[in-house]
Amino acid sequence: MTATRWLAEYAWLPEHAEPIADVLIEAEDGRFTAVTPLTRGGAPTAGVEVLTDAVRLPGLTLPGLANAHSHAFHRALRGRTQGGRGDFWTWRDQMYALTVRLDPDSYLALARATFAEMALAGITGVGEFHYLHHGPGGTPYDDPNAMSAALVEAAAQAGIRITLLDTCYLTASVDGRPLTGLQLRFGDGDAVRWGERAAAFTPAGGHAKVGAAVHSVRAVPAEQLDTVARWARERDAPLHVHLSEQPAENDACRAVHGSTPTRLLADREVLGPATTAVHATHPTSADLGLLAESRTGVCLCPTTERDLADGIGPARRMADVGIPLSLGSDSHAVIDLFEEARAVELDERLRTRRRGHFVAADLVTAATAAGHAALGWTDAGRIAVGARADLVTVRLDSVRTAGVPAVGAFFAATAADVTTVVVDGRTIVADGRHRSVDVPTELGRAIAEVIS
Ligand SMILES: [Zn+2]
């Protein structure tokens, strides 16, 4: 791969409270080799006009965004479930029904289009929380990891990195009811067999890593949680878990185990610096202490949490005790990390009726470096020498962003304002268009294919 140079009108560099003007960014073989601000005190320190070989990036250039929590197939539900009444549990039945027509081929097409939508939104790495492992009735495919392979291939074709979070999903409730009906496709029988299947999968391509996930305390019996945790620890792999998204999960866990879900995970050694709890919308103060003590991260998914009437997670209290926060679009009611990021601040305002809980740089970190780190890519999410060469440029001259100062972009821009996306040094989105996928056409076709 040849060396590339970009000249960013504004770039958000690490440890800065706001963007820097006129930054020359150089990369070779997919890594940044130099990051040089060319302006000091408002005056150019080098001849900007002579940099004829540098690709101009007008607007604000950010590090690659990380979508730390995704279920790719949920994209097909967008606009189909939002209008009705009900709650998380009625939505979940609609979501299960969608799985009927998904097989490795149709899932490849749907995930490719969904990941390409993410690329257009500036997302350079996704954490795919994957539990739709098997065929109808739970019968494994000839290759028991065919669905995992389809997801990894989909990310490659969309041009983004993926951490495939192979999810252990064994039971239908905290008290251990067996999976039935459509849920049978998620199950491997027990955690040992889950681990054997997951260990047999080696993803093709340097764009992919494998991690583990405990679906939730509803779906993995307490005595099998440590098996999943050990699997991840032995491989130095990230471990994710849905946690306290709904008060009903807390109530059921207390009734069966006499403890909160967080306490149960702590006792079973699921928590730790490589672990990310997804949602954590309804933790107790003691739960927050356990997450902080164990250096467990939290992935907030505000647009999904609002869509599913989950509630508002205590983001500021988490940050105050040192819990790293990342972001995910989860059910893909919206794929827009700018919206997820500003919701962290704006939802806190709704709760407290006060403004100013997070500064813009906190939101940038959650949307970038913290998310990539939660997915095991600790060398991504910063525009700095040695880091993976991911860049996302947001225009500051659209109807939404015209007149907006670069520092305010996270409160004004949407995914539609992303013009350029570079992943590991390769340009995958230019002039707001994906270079190899016709995203709206492919989304329409892939969704029509799986909706019965
Ligand atoms: Zn989820």
Side-chain angles (χ1 to χ4, degrees):
M1 203 180 285
T2 51
T4 315
R5 311 210 299 169
W6 298 269
L7 182 58
E9 185 184 5
Y10 294 97
W12 211 312
L13 304 182
E15 320 300 336
H16 284 75
E18 51 188 78
I20 305 295
D22 299 326
V23 179
L24 181 65
I25 302 165
E26 299 172 78
E28 199 170 339
D29 296 332
R31 301 262 172 188
F32 292 122
T33 52
V35 178
T36 316
L38 299 181
T39 310
R40 291 266 187 269
T45 54
V48 171
E49 67 287 350
V50 302
L51 293 168
T52 50
D53 64 333
V55 177
R56 294 295 201 273
L57 298 174
L60 169 63
T61 295
L62 298 161
L65 307 180
N67 191 355
H69 189 64
S70 159
H71 310 281
F73 74 91
H74 293 193
R75 173 63 180 83
L77 288 171
R78 185 185 300 173
R80 292 175 196 280
T81 62
Q82 272 84 19
R85 299 170 72 90
D87 58 13
F88 172 88
W89 308 100
T90 50
W91 168 85
R92 194 182 67 157
D93 290 339
Q94 295 172 301
M95 182 268 284
Y96 286 164
L98 176 70
T99 61
V100 172
R101 293 175 68 175
L102 282 167
D103 60 26
D105 290 335
S106 58
Y107 206 3
L108 171 59
L110 177 57
R112 165 185 151 102
T114 303
F115 293 155
E117 180 185 352
M118 290 184 196
L120 281 177
I123 290 161
T124 60
V126 63
E128 179 63 25
F129 197 107
H130 168 53
Y131 53 83
L132 187 56
H133 301 302
H134 302 300
T139 308
Y141 291 106
D142 291 344
D143 169 4
N145 287 306
M147 292 296 244
S148 299
L151 289 162
V152 166
E153 175 60 21
Q157 292 183 13
I160 66 173
R161 289 188 303 273
I162 183 170
T163 298
L164 186 90
L165 298 160
D166 195 313
T167 304
C168 187
Y169 197 135
L170 305 172
T171 55
S173 61
V174 179
D175 58 2
R177 272 190 293 117
L179 301 178
T180 55
L182 297 170
Q183 290 181 324
L184 288 169
R185 298 185 66 182
F186 313 156
D188 289 293
D190 59 43
V192 171
R193 278 183 280 168
W194 162 83
E196 286 167 359
R197 181 189 52 70
F201 179 60
T202 308
H207 72 298
K209 284 184 196 290
V210 173
V214 166
H215 179 276
S216 58
V217 298
R218 304 192 302 273
V220 179
E223 68 280 5
Q224 298 189 54
L225 287 168
D226 5 25
T227 305
V228 184
R230 199 177 325 115
W231 190 100
R233 254 197 317 279
E234 283 171 2
R235 288 164 180 77
D236 207 12
L239 173 61
H240 287 217
V241 52
H242 286 131
L243 180 64
S244 294
E245 180 174 4
Q246 287 283 325
E249 176 183 300
N250 290 0
D251 297 343
C253 195
R254 278 202 185 90
V256 174
H257 299 294
S259 65
T260 64
T262 305
R263 177 82 251 173
L264 182 65
L265 296 178
D267 290 347
R268 296 287 171 168
E269 297 183 3
V270 174
L271 303 184
T275 300
T276 296
V278 180
H279 303 300
T281 310
H282 302 283
T284 64
S285 296
D287 291 341
L288 291 180
L290 290 169
L291 294 171
E293 232 168 71
S294 59
R295 295 192 290 138
T296 300
V298 167
C299 178
L300 303 167
C301 306
T303 67
T304 293
E305 289 148 10
R306 74 167 74 132
D307 183 46
L308 298 183
D310 286 339
I312 301 172
R316 186 63 254 174
R317 286 173 63 207
M318 291 175 182
D320 284 344
V321 293
I323 296 170
L325 300 179
S326 56
L327 300 168
S329 66
D330 189 4
S331 68
H332 311 316
V334 177
I335 294 178
D336 187 336
L337 266 284
F338 300 99
E339 180 64 22
E340 303 292 346
R342 61 179 160 257
V344 174
E345 164 65 22
L346 298 178
D347 288 357
E348 202 68 48
R349 292 183 188 181
L350 284 175
R351 188 221 313 274
T352 60
R353 286 175 288 147
R354 295 189 67 85
R355 310 174 81 228
H357 303 274
F358 292 91
V359 298
D362 296 333
L363 305 183
V364 174
T365 299
T368 60
H372 292 290
L375 298 175
W377 304 89
T378 49
D379 54 354
R382 289 171 306 120
I383 303 175
V385 173
R388 288 177 174 271
D390 291 2
L391 297 172
V392 174
T393 302
V394 184
R395 58 190 296 183
L396 294 176
D397 62 354
S398 76
V399 290
R400 290 164 292 275
T401 57
V404 171
V407 68
F410 258 79
F411 285 100
T414 71
D417 299 312
V418 170
T419 55
T420 304
V421 180
V422 175
V423 182
D424 289 328
R426 286 192 312 129
T427 302
I428 57 165
V429 172
D431 299 324
R433 289 182 182 279
H434 198 287
R435 293 182 103 176
S436 57
V437 180
D438 176 347
V439 181
T441 302
E442 290 204 16
L443 278 170
R445 198 182 295 145
I447 292 170
E449 186 71 23
V450 299
I451 292 292
S452 4

